Amino acid sequence: MKYNTENLADIMQIAPFHRWLGLKIIQQNNDHLELEMPWRDELVSNPVIGAVHGGILASLIDLTGLYAIIAAGVLPRRPWI
């Protein structure tokens, strides 16, 4: 099952961390997903240069990939640890 923008936006609201990031879908089609994250002062790890914390950037990259896979209709399996 492929997910449209509305369904995917609902899924993105499930996890508290994802809600905290404030991710929004800017564009979605069959081979493209573009997310936006609002700027927040809490994202800065180095106020001298205004650098965003690497963990936040890594999360944005990771979640964009995850939601692109979900949008394509491939639901991730529960990891076995």
Side-chain angles (χ1 to χ4, degrees):
M1 173 181 169
K2 291 190 177 187
Y3 291 88
N4 63 32
T5 302
E6 184 177 313
N7 298 115
L8 190 59
D10 289 343
I11 291 170
M12 290 172 56
Q13 296 302 306
I14 293 172
F17 179 62
H18 303 182
R19 287 194 307 270
W20 182 83
L21 288 173
L23 300 176
K24 301 233 183 315
I25 299 170
I26 299 303
Q27 184 180 11
Q28 177 189 356
N29 59 41
N30 289 338
D31 61 354
H32 181 85
L33 176 65
E34 182 179 342
L35 299 180
E36 177 180 80
M37 183 178 67
W39 177 259
R40 297 163 50 153
D41 288 338
E42 300 98 321
L43 305 178
V44 175
S45 65
N46 184 341
V48 174
I49 62 173
V52 174
H53 190 281
I56 296 295
L57 295 176
S59 295
L60 181 58
I61 294 166
D62 179 58
L63 293 173
T64 301
L66 171 67
Y67 289 123
I69 291 168
I70 291 172
V74 181
L75 293 177
R77 292 183 182 193
R78 178 179 235 173
W80 294 92
I81 298 175

